[in-house]
Amino acid sequence: MRILYYYLLLLSLPISAQIELKIDAISSKDSIPTERKFTIQYHIENLTDKEVVFSLYPTSFGSNRRASMFKGMVYKIFQDQEFLDLEDIFSNTKVNSYRQALLEAKTKEEKDVLVRKYLEEQKRINLDSKSIIDENELLLEKGKNFSKSIITLLPKEKRSYSKTLIWNKSRYYKLEDNEFYLDENKPHYFELTINLMKEYFKDYVEVNEYQEILNNPSYIKGWFTSNKVEIDFKD
């Protein structure tokens, strides 16, 4: 009976040794007095002797509050050992660059070009060639975008990534009834998590192909969490 108990216990444990998600380094630089840039260097490594496949946008970052169905990297911030359940505290570098370009634009025509370019990049659609996008076209674009998220790692393969995040040096945050303060006198830590789900493929493949994916052990699923690395929110 005891042997059976331990066997069932092992079956219930998550298979978390398939891949490693690790933060290699976090560096910071104050570009302007009110802004600090963090460069996050991290990698995903296949720890097995077999090929693994999953869907992930590895350079798309979001806070833990949107983790449930987010297909990118989910980050957590800790103050000492306390987890701070914050909304996004980092601004988007691409959005910032467009915002700065808009401020520097001298004419309405220049601003219109920038706005159009930004919308095209966000929607992955050429607005000049399509005045009206039908539903089939949108589904096609959505499928193309999803195909870019499929990552195949060969046995023992490691892929390294880098992401720049910008903090505007705000310390006080209020979210609903909760208040948070980034204490400049306490250490802070940064952690990454990814939620890999086979179910992501359901809307993009045929029914029989989706069933094959569900039954294929090469397509992995599960929560994977990185190490914690100190991040500099000090003055």
Side-chain angles (χ1 to χ4, degrees):
M1 182 64 69
R2 179 168 296 182
I3 293 175
L4 177 62
Y5 168 77
Y6 285 120
Y7 176 71
L8 293 174
L9 180 63
L10 285 172
L11 287 179
S12 69
L13 293 175
I15 303 174
S16 58
Q18 292 168 299
I19 62 172
E20 176 188 63
L21 171 61
K22 185 176 181 180
I23 301 172
D24 300 305
I26 299 178
S27 59
S28 63
K29 180 180 180 181
D30 288 4
S31 51
I32 58 176
T34 59
E35 193 174 270
R36 180 169 298 170
K37 288 185 178 181
F38 295 101
T39 300
I40 317 296
Q41 295 177 321
Y42 54 104
H43 73 257
I44 301 173
E45 182 177 2
N46 179 3
L47 301 178
T48 74
D49 295 321
K50 299 179 180 180
E51 178 181 276
V52 296
V53 185
F54 50 89
S55 171
L56 178 72
Y57 296 96
T59 57
S60 179
F61 274 49
S63 71
N64 186 71
R65 293 190 67 83
R66 62 174 77 168
S68 59
M69 292 299 292
F70 188 60
K71 298 179 183 178
M73 313 298 295
V74 175
Y75 68 82
K76 290 183 178 181
I77 302 294
F78 295 85
Q79 186 162 268
D80 275 341
Q81 301 302 314
E82 178 190 2
F83 166 56
L84 302 180
D85 193 11
L86 297 165
E87 188 55 86
D88 290 335
I89 65 171
F90 301 110
S91 55
N92 188 298
T93 54
K94 182 168 287 188
V95 171
N96 282 352
S97 65
Y98 274 110
R99 186 180 291 120
Q100 185 61 36
L102 281 172
L103 291 174
E104 296 174 356
K106 295 180 174 58
T107 66
K108 182 180 182 301
E109 288 73 20
E110 290 178 350
K111 292 181 180 180
D112 288 343
V113 169
L114 287 167
V115 171
R116 180 174 290 273
K117 183 179 178 182
Y118 177 73
L119 290 175
E120 286 178 358
E121 289 189 356
Q122 292 301 302
K123 297 182 179 180
R124 305 293 195 270
I125 293 173
N126 186 341
L127 297 180
D128 288 327
S129 63
K130 305 257 182 214
S131 57
I132 299 176
I133 307 296
D134 62 26
E135 186 176 351
N136 290 333
E137 182 70 18
L138 288 173
L139 288 173
L140 180 62
E141 294 294 335
K142 187 178 178 182
K144 288 179 181 178
N145 195 30
F146 177 77
S147 67
K148 298 175 183 177
S149 77
I150 301 172
I151 295 175
T152 301
L153 292 180
L154 298 176
K156 305 300 183 182
E157 181 182 0
K158 179 171 73 173
R159 292 195 192 179
S160 297
Y161 301 93
S162 179
K163 178 73 173 182
T164 298
L165 302 174
I166 296 178
W167 174 50
N168 65 6
K169 293 193 174 183
S170 295
R171 296 195 176 276
Y172 173 75
Y173 298 89
K174 182 175 175 61
L175 183 62
E176 298 172 351
D177 294 329
N178 300 314
E179 296 180 305
F180 303 93
Y181 181 78
L182 294 178
D183 192 334
E184 60 271 30
N185 297 313
K186 293 183 178 180
H188 295 86
Y189 301 92
F190 187 89
E191 180 184 88
L192 290 174
T193 299
I194 52 178
N195 180 17
L196 305 183
M197 298 176 63
K198 293 184 180 183
E199 289 76 9
Y200 289 151
F201 292 85
K202 185 176 182 179
D203 296 331
Y204 302 96
V205 298
E206 298 295 332
V207 175
N208 59 335
E209 187 179 355
Y210 176 61
Q211 193 60 47
E212 290 176 1
I213 289 173
L214 290 180
N215 297 330
N216 189 339
S218 295
Y219 286 78
I220 62 173
K221 64 181 297 182
W223 286 90
F224 300 87
T225 302
S226 76
N227 52 323
K228 290 180 186 177
V229 174
E230 189 165 0
I231 186 168
D232 184 11
F233 286 123
K234 299 176 181 177
D235 284 334

